[in-house]
Amino acid sequence: GDSVTQMEGPVTLSEEAFLTINCTYTATGYPSLFWYVQYPGEGLQLLLKATKADDKGSNKGFEATYRKETTSFHLEKGSVQVSDSAVYFCALGSARQLTFGSGTQLTVLP
Amino acid sequence: DVKVTQSSRYLVKRTGEKVFLECVQDMDHENMFWYRQDPGLGLRLIYFSYDVKMKEKGDIPEGYSVSREKKERFSLILESASTNQTSMYLCASSLALATNEKLFFGSGTQLSVL
């Protein structure tokens, strides 16, 4: 079945550091790929998405490119801020539901 | 903005109790979902509903049931709560079931079963 494997955390960075959170997937067909973010005490929010191969999703300085050849959708940001501290989930959309990765806790220190 | 409201932020129940978790969305969405979130396991789908009175099992439906009598409300029921059902429960809704459709989440109910 479909699955998402996400880089294990926690990840701790200093402010303005470069961020990469790895995500790879296994799926049949042509899924859509998503990154959701969960800030402390809140539900998940969509951060960005890509619906086909080579698409790049971007939002709030975050980017991820749908790589079919490597079945990956890695999340990147060039310069993180303290306010980016949250849990990040990679997700795959296929058939009628989303399949989520296990989440990566990011802490950014001032 | 879409609002998905879960009735309780924290809930403490005893083993064997019947537990109701309520979720209401205000944007006339067709689809509603119940997930549980556990450390290291991410989100796992319990049940979802694509229309009033319709429901489908997700990946981990055992020990749970759901009810959708009105479009805006989706209830998760634990018939006889057990300690392994201690978890964060997240409700979500979406306009359509298309694979690229955005989900809107509530802020969650942390359930502790003692």
Side-chain angles (χ1 to χ4, degrees):
Chain A
D2 295 344
S3 66
V4 175
T5 302
Q6 195 173 329
M7 171 178 168
E8 294 208 13
V11 174
T12 302
L13 296 172
S14 297
E15 205 164 25
E16 300 184 0
F18 184 86
L19 169 71
T20 300
I21 301 177
N22 290 338
C23 172
T24 57
Y25 67 90
T26 302
T28 55
Y30 304 95
S32 295
L33 298 172
F34 304 80
W35 278 99
Y36 279 81
V37 59
Q38 185 179 33
Y39 298 104
E42 299 183 13
L44 279 71
Q45 310 172 20
L46 179 65
L47 180 60
L48 54 83
K49 71 177 185 183
T51 57
K52 61 183 188 296
D54 299 325
D55 266 3
K56 177 186 282 189
S58 62
N59 186 24
K60 300 182 181 179
F62 291 90
E63 293 183 341
T65 302
Y66 188 161
R67 301 279 188 210
K68 192 163 182 289
E69 64 276 12
T70 54
T71 61
S72 66
F73 193 55
H74 305 321
L75 182 69
E76 296 182 337
K77 187 174 185 182
S79 176
V80 293
Q81 305 300 312
V82 172
S83 56
D84 294 327
S85 298
V87 182
Y88 293 82
F89 292 91
C90 185
L92 177 158
S94 63
R96 305 172 78 173
Q97 63 184 70
L98 289 186
T99 300
F100 285 86
S102 56
T104 301
Q105 170 78 55
L106 170 66
T107 301
V108 180
L109 302 176
Chain B
D1 258 0
V2 173
K3 192 159 185 184
V4 179
T5 303
Q6 294 184 231
S7 54
S8 304
R9 185 74 179 96
Y10 299 96
L11 213 49
V12 180
K13 296 292 181 181
R14 297 279 180 196
T15 303
E17 279 193 75
K18 190 169 184 175
V19 181
F20 293 85
L21 303 182
E22 306 287 345
C23 175
V24 176
Q25 51 95 2
D26 66 358
M27 279 300 288
D28 205 34
H29 282 175
E30 301 291 330
N31 311 288
M32 297 188 74
F33 307 81
W34 275 107
Y35 289 86
R36 63 177 282 176
Q37 181 181 4
D38 299 289
L41 297 177
L43 276 70
R44 293 179 291 167
L45 182 64
I46 305 171
Y47 267 96
F48 66 100
S49 168
Y50 52 88
D51 201 353
V52 175
K53 297 192 186 293
M54 305 300 286
K55 61 185 179 185
E56 285 202 25
K57 293 179 181 179
D59 299 319
I60 50 163
E62 297 78 18
Y64 303 94
S65 62
V66 289
S67 171
R68 192 157 181 211
E69 296 296 319
K70 294 185 178 180
K71 193 175 186 181
E72 67 271 18
R73 187 179 296 271
F74 192 35
S75 302
L76 180 68
I77 303 155
L78 287 67
E79 294 290 342
S80 177
S82 63
T83 54
N84 63 12
Q85 292 178 310
T86 291
S87 185
M88 171 68 81
Y89 290 87
L90 293 172
C91 176
S93 71
S94 71
L95 187 56
L97 272 179
T99 61
N100 61 352
E101 193 62 32
K102 174 181 176 179
L103 290 187
F104 294 84
F105 282 85
S107 53
T109 296
Q110 179 64 53
L111 172 67
S112 297
V113 182
L114 306 178

